[in-house]
Amino acid sequence: MRDKLRKWREDNHRNSEQIVDVGEELINEHASKLGDDIWIIYEQVMIAALDCSRDDLAWTCLQELKRQFPGSQRVKRLAGMRLEALEKYEDANKQYDSILQDDPTNTAARKRKISILKAQGKSAEAIRELNEYLEQFVGDQEAWHELSELYINEHDYGKAAFCLEELMMTNPHNHLYCEQYAEVKYTQGGLENLELSRKYFAQALKLNNRNMRALFGLYMSASHIAASPKVNATVKKANVKYATWATNQINRAYQVSYARKKFNNRLKLSENMVVVDVVSKPNTTKWTALSKVMINSKH
Amino acid sequence: MGEVELSCLAYVKMYLHACLFPRCSVNGLLLSSSPAGGAVCVTDCVPLLHTHLPLAPITQLALTQVDVWCAQTQQRIVGYYQANACVSDSSPTPCALKIADKIAEQCNNAVLLMIDGGKMSPDYRVPPIVMYERKDTRWTLKDKHTIMLRQWEETRDIASQLLDSGDHSLLVDFDSHLDDITRDWTNQKLNAKIAELASPANGNV
């Protein structure tokens, strides 16, 4: 059970119900056997308990931690989180302010304050604070990602794209960032953005050829470009080829997975979207080369 | 405008969708298997997304796929539902309005349904939903008296039962389908479970 908790801690899983189940049993029945591990488990279980509205359990964990580590900033932050969970935002803010007074570089307290703004629906302020935070702590990946989400919810796609660009620069092998960037570009619309989006969907596929969102995204962006009146015949032809290739890959993926699951229903893509000129045969050995062509394409 | 009836199946799936992803905004489409004209009868729903609701590509893809499926199964898309992550604010977001507008282009009596997170406590008495209809070009609150949920008590009990037994994890939305394409976003298994709980054999009429 300890190992499970450790794995969830390391992978940063938010499976709070499970953590509460396992953690509560561990704490109640096997506390003596845990040694020093118990403190980090208290912390993990407390946060999970707050997530599941188990204030009783959270309070117990907090008391134990307070007793063991009086005056600790880390425990103070947990106390603040409990206040947040009870929606006592004023008190929580006071708690975090006191941490920041003692230690102005405490990133955890700053981020909690921003989370409070988000919980209260004050997106504009949350965005402003987060921007200020990132000016100081440029390398904080999760902050950049959070900022991109806030911008997406505000429909400020340009700025969301900027945040994702920062993430892609520092994490060039992460296919999810590429794919999210492509989705933002697609949403922004316009021929140039569609072409960029197609390239980044292709890049995401290159990094992970099983990313279905990227495959569908590639199909849709290529189809839209091909259908646009502003493109010349060569570009149109190339994009039709890409779209058709994507269609075949998608159908193949469904066939394979349905064969595995012995599923009878087949989902067919609407043929209205694809201007089908050439029907190419699926050619999986050359797909990496083709996706490279798409990325480097000048179209 | 006209009356809207919400079936047990549609309500339960929407509710479970919101419960499955309590930290995210979720959305989905409302379907009807009855012919157009007269009262709108929402008989089913398709849960769509729980991440990046305002982004276009997956939403467009999902709309197309659901459209095709509806044509094959004699259903129509008659509405859209959304549950916001922020419990204190259940008003329609710009992306909700956009998608609802698109649906209204195809269906005159389209409805926009927002799930009110604040009312979803364990002992809630009224359906935690707010419905909007299109008057001229704006979405306005629908008169509560024109919204019908048959056997509301039973529906609510079925939803609670499925939540307690952990069966809400059976629900597959379009996002989950894209993560693992073997999962069925039409939710046939869950539909069967709900039908079983709602059947006369269980004491419900």
Side-chain angles (χ1 to χ4, degrees):
Chain A
M1 287 203 280
R2 251 173 158 182
D3 296 328
K4 267 195 209 165
L5 283 177
R6 188 188 318 127
K7 178 156 200 309
W8 292 332
R9 215 165 40 232
E10 284 167 11
D11 292 341
N12 219 357
H13 276 167
R14 198 175 171 174
N15 51 337
S16 303
E17 285 93 355
Q18 281 180 300
I19 294 176
V20 163
D21 276 338
V22 174
E24 192 171 20
E25 198 189 314
L26 208 58
I27 293 171
N28 288 340
E29 328 243 314
H30 311 281
S32 49
K33 302 183 200 148
L34 292 170
D36 276 335
D37 266 357
I38 195 164
W39 308 116
I40 200 154
I41 289 178
Y42 271 132
E43 185 183 37
Q44 185 181 12
V45 173
M46 183 189 164
I47 295 177
L50 290 176
D51 219 6
C52 299
S53 291
R54 285 285 312 271
D55 191 46
D56 55 323
L57 182 57
W59 182 245
T60 316
C61 296
L62 185 60
Q63 294 305 92
E64 293 295 320
L65 287 165
K66 268 189 179 159
R67 202 173 305 153
Q68 181 69 12
F69 305 103
S72 149
Q73 303 287 37
R74 197 161 154 177
V75 177
K76 260 189 176 177
R77 172 197 152 223
L78 289 174
M81 282 176 81
R82 182 179 161 269
L83 291 168
E84 277 186 70
L86 296 169
E87 293 186 90
K88 294 184 175 155
Y89 297 124
E90 289 282 326
D91 296 334
N93 264 320
K94 282 198 191 119
Q95 186 84 334
Y96 298 133
D97 283 333
S98 94
I99 298 179
L100 287 168
Q101 227 170 9
D102 293 335
D103 175 14
T105 63
N106 190 310
T107 56
R110 274 184 85 164
K111 288 201 266 191
R112 287 318 313 166
K113 289 189 67 158
I114 295 170
S115 309
I116 291 178
L117 289 170
K118 189 177 169 191
Q120 293 175 310
K122 297 178 181 165
S123 327
E125 285 173 52
I127 288 176
R128 200 185 55 227
E129 294 290 315
L130 196 43
N131 268 306
E132 272 177 38
Y133 171 85
L134 280 165
E135 272 171 33
Q136 279 193 288
F137 301 97
V138 171
D140 191 332
Q141 312 275 309
E142 76 171 7
W144 279 113
H145 199 241
E146 183 62 39
L147 188 55
S148 78
E149 302 262 340
L150 286 172
Y151 277 133
I152 288 173
N153 284 329
E154 294 300 302
H155 303 274
D156 197 338
Y157 302 118
K159 301 214 177 95
F162 177 79
C163 298
L164 287 163
E165 281 163 13
E166 287 287 325
L167 286 167
M168 286 196 295
M169 264 199 322
T170 45
N171 303 278
H173 299 295
N174 187 320
H175 65 105
L176 295 171
Y177 293 149
C178 278
E179 182 247 301
Q180 272 178 37
Y181 182 73
E183 284 193 43
V184 171
K185 283 290 159 195
Y186 182 103
T187 311
Q188 279 182 292
L191 192 56
E192 231 180 86
N193 285 326
L194 274 177
E195 292 188 325
L196 258 178
S197 103
R198 190 202 64 221
K199 291 181 191 180
Y200 279 94
F201 279 128
Q203 175 70 4
L205 274 174
K206 189 169 147 210
L207 294 168
N208 177 356
N209 62 350
R210 280 193 263 167
N211 186 328
M212 287 307 289
R213 286 185 179 82
L215 202 43
F216 276 113
L218 179 60
Y219 159 71
M220 289 169 70
S221 47
S223 308
H224 277 302
I225 298 171
S228 163
K230 298 183 198 162
V231 299
N232 63 40
T234 342
V235 172
K236 205 188 194 80
K237 193 165 176 193
N239 279 286
V240 165
K241 202 163 90 177
Y242 306 148
T244 318
W245 175 83
T247 315
N248 291 329
Q249 292 298 313
I250 293 168
N251 281 329
R252 185 189 212 88
Y254 276 106
Q255 275 169 11
V256 167
S257 66
Y258 287 165
R260 272 192 216 134
K261 223 191 173 191
K262 291 181 188 165
F263 208 126
N264 283 323
N265 281 339
R266 285 251 300 264
L267 291 169
K268 289 198 179 120
L269 288 170
S270 165
E271 278 159 344
N272 295 335
M273 287 181 74
V274 181
V275 177
V276 179
D277 230 1
V278 174
V279 180
S280 57
K281 290 200 183 115
N283 195 337
T284 43
T285 53
K286 288 205 182 127
W287 78 265
T288 28
L290 186 58
S291 67
K292 275 196 193 130
V293 165
M294 290 183 226
I295 301 162
N296 298 326
S297 145
K298 292 199 183 76
H299 299 306
Chain B
M1 266 179 151
E3 288 190 336
V4 175
E5 190 187 318
L6 197 56
S7 74
C8 172
L9 183 67
Y11 175 81
V12 172
K13 286 207 295 198
M14 276 195 311
Y15 179 81
L16 294 181
H17 191 207
C19 293
L20 190 54
F21 302 105
R23 294 134 197 156
C24 318
S25 296
V26 297
N27 68 4
L29 297 173
L30 302 171
L31 309 179
S32 173
S33 53
S34 7
V40 173
C41 194
V42 178
T43 50
D44 197 0
C45 75
V46 175
L48 290 185
L49 308 176
H50 57 268
T51 55
H52 300 139
L53 271 61
L55 291 182
I58 307 301
T59 308
Q60 278 182 8
L61 173 70
L63 280 167
T64 318
Q65 294 270 350
V66 175
D67 224 359
V68 169
W69 181 63
C70 282
Q72 292 171 350
T73 52
Q74 283 89 48
Q75 295 184 86
R76 310 173 290 130
I77 300 177
V78 294
Y80 169 85
Y81 74 84
Q82 185 170 306
N84 290 336
C86 196
V87 160
S88 52
D89 177 17
S90 65
S91 54
T93 57
C95 94
L97 295 170
K98 233 191 236 175
I99 301 177
D101 279 339
K102 262 216 142 41
I103 296 173
E105 278 169 26
Q106 307 287 332
C107 168
N108 278 333
N109 296 340
V111 289
L112 167 56
L113 198 154
M114 297 299 294
I115 299 181
D116 187 346
K119 296 207 184 101
M120 278 176 74
S121 54
D123 50 356
Y124 64 98
R125 296 269 179 80
V126 290
I129 59 180
V130 182
M131 241 192 234
Y132 296 80
E133 60 183 356
R134 216 179 140 104
K135 276 210 174 101
D136 305 317
T137 47
R138 297 185 57 212
W139 289 93
T140 47
L141 270 175
K142 206 168 163 55
D143 179 10
K144 280 190 203 147
H145 302 258
T146 56
I147 306 169
M148 291 199 301
L149 272 114
R150 269 182 229 209
Q151 284 120 34
W152 159 238
E153 310 273 310
E154 283 84 1
T155 304
R156 191 189 65 192
D157 291 340
I158 292 174
S160 303
Q161 208 176 326
L162 287 168
L163 193 57
D164 288 337
S165 61
D167 283 330
H168 61 305
S169 54
L170 285 176
L171 185 99
V172 181
D173 68 0
F174 205 77
D175 248 341
S176 311
H177 170 76
L178 289 176
D179 290 333
D180 174 1
I181 55 175
T182 57
R183 300 188 74 193
D184 167 28
W185 55 261
T186 64
N187 287 295
Q188 301 300 331
K189 266 198 189 150
L190 188 61
N191 286 355
K193 248 202 159 83
I194 296 173
E196 203 185 293
L197 289 173
S199 74
N202 276 331
N204 297 323
V205 172

